[in-house]
Amino acid sequence: ESNKTLFVKYLFKEIEERFCYIKIEDLDYKNSYNQVEKTLVFFNVMEVYRSKTNRFPFKQLKVKEIKWSLEHIHPQNALDVKQSEYSQWLEDHKKVLKTIDSDDELTDRIENLIVELKDTNAKNLKLQFEDLSREVLENLDYKENNMESISKKSKIPFEKLIGEHHISNMALLDTKKNSSLGNSAFGVKRKSIIDFELNGLYIPNATKNSFLKYYSDYPKHLNYWTLEDRDEYLFKIQEQMNFVKTKI
């Protein structure tokens, strides 16, 4: 018996109650996984809704063959990389290291280990790979010097933003693509996300936008996920929550 205007207002009220009163600074992969996932689904839906260029493919969230999970935008470590993928992991990261003019000695050691992997069982080189991969990720980890107490846009304390499991370092991705990215550096993941989409695979809008740095006004580093990127990413989520509140 309602009209369309009242029905839309009712929907926004329901959305507001479910998604817009969480304390976003406390959302964390380890302690509030389900709430992080729900918030990122909300964010992706609202990004599509407000773009007015296409419809959100809700069926993608319900397809039995697809299981959605949370991807760390900036990696944790490379210890979970399968031994059969050592060489590819090293090749991918060598390319990124070369784009940032890193130490030639490090890339030489990567090339040497790749050669060794061709001649030796990867199982016997596990420790060498783990030590070298840690060093590679350290080189591809942006060293922050902006550690004021509160971030500029989202107003979230930097001590929260810096956490590897904080929502500011999380994106929604299906499990299959998530595992294929492994614990790769941001620059490698960014290239993979581009390739996924070029091959016609579905990538949630906000996930794609974060890896392509659409939320960062003036991104300084395409191969790093910095505190400024995290701040602007969270600000966009907050902005969508505030938009919903204006529709009530």
Side-chain angles (χ1 to χ4, degrees):
E1 295 176 0
S2 180
N3 60 39
K4 183 177 178 181
T5 301
L6 290 175
F7 178 58
V8 170
K9 190 171 183 177
Y10 159 78
L11 287 177
F12 273 112
K13 182 65 180 171
E14 292 292 310
I15 293 168
E16 179 197 36
E17 290 176 0
R18 286 168 169 76
F19 299 101
C20 298
Y21 289 107
I22 55 155
K23 199 171 182 183
I24 198 167
E25 68 181 69
D26 292 335
L27 292 187
D28 176 274
Y29 175 89
K30 284 196 167 181
N31 302 318
S32 47
Y33 186 100
N34 290 339
Q35 190 62 63
V36 173
E37 186 176 19
K38 282 174 62 177
T39 300
L40 291 179
V41 170
F42 158 80
F43 183 40
N44 277 280
V45 172
M46 293 307 301
E47 286 288 283
V48 175
Y49 174 80
R50 293 188 69 189
S51 72
K52 293 182 168 46
T53 55
N54 54 4
R55 293 171 180 266
F56 185 84
F58 285 99
K59 65 180 180 181
Q60 291 281 354
L61 298 178
K62 298 294 183 182
V63 176
K64 288 182 180 179
E65 294 76 21
I66 298 177
K67 181 172 173 54
W68 293 93
S69 63
L70 299 177
E71 164 73 9
H72 285 80
I73 299 175
H74 176 79
Q76 303 174 76
N77 55 57
L79 299 181
D80 295 330
V81 176
K82 296 175 183 175
Q83 290 172 8
S84 61
E85 297 169 353
Y86 283 177
S87 293
Q88 189 61 55
W89 192 97
L90 292 167
E91 288 282 5
D92 290 340
H93 287 74
K94 182 180 73 173
K95 291 173 187 174
V96 178
L97 285 167
K98 285 186 173 180
T99 67
I100 62 170
D101 296 323
S102 69
D103 185 0
D104 287 339
E105 189 265 340
L106 178 57
T107 53
D108 287 343
R109 282 192 285 132
I110 290 174
E111 288 170 356
N112 290 337
L113 184 53
I114 291 171
V115 171
E116 282 189 69
L117 284 163
K118 290 177 182 176
D119 302 327
T120 310
N121 190 319
K123 187 176 180 181
N124 299 327
L125 296 172
K126 186 173 185 288
L127 291 178
Q128 287 99 310
F129 173 79
E130 289 178 353
D131 289 342
L132 187 56
S133 64
R134 281 193 198 94
E135 192 173 340
V136 168
L137 291 179
E138 282 175 14
N139 271 265
L140 292 173
D141 186 7
Y142 181 62
K143 304 300 184 290
E144 299 285 357
N145 55 19
N146 180 13
M147 292 294 288
E148 301 165 34
S149 59
I150 299 291
S151 56
K152 290 180 181 177
K153 284 196 167 182
S154 66
K155 306 304 179 187
I156 302 294
F158 274 128
E159 64 196 52
K160 297 275 189 179
L161 283 182
I162 203 80
E164 66 175 348
H165 300 306
H166 191 252
I167 188 175
S168 58
N169 191 38
M170 293 290 142
L172 193 67
L173 201 62
D174 77 70
T175 306
K176 191 173 181 181
K177 296 190 194 76
N178 196 336
S179 61
S180 72
L181 291 181
N183 284 308
S184 302
F186 176 82
V188 175
K189 290 184 179 185
R190 180 176 175 275
K191 176 66 169 62
S192 297
I193 293 292
I194 293 170
D195 290 342
F196 287 153
E197 187 160 68
L198 287 175
N199 288 319
L201 301 175
Y202 172 67
I203 303 294
N205 272 42
T207 299
K208 177 184 71 175
N209 291 349
S210 61
F211 278 99
L212 298 187
K213 298 217 177 188
Y214 287 173
Y215 300 129
S216 304
D217 290 336
Y218 302 100
K220 298 186 182 81
H221 308 283
L222 285 179
N223 287 312
Y224 304 110
W225 185 242
T226 69
L227 278 175
E228 284 184 3
D229 296 324
R230 294 182 184 217
D231 178 31
E232 295 187 88
Y233 180 53
L234 273 191
F235 178 72
K236 290 296 182 181
I237 298 176
Q238 292 170 332
E239 198 177 57
Q240 296 295 14
M241 292 177 174
N242 292 332
F243 169 78
V244 169
K245 292 174 185 177
T246 68
K247 306 298 284 185
I248 306 306

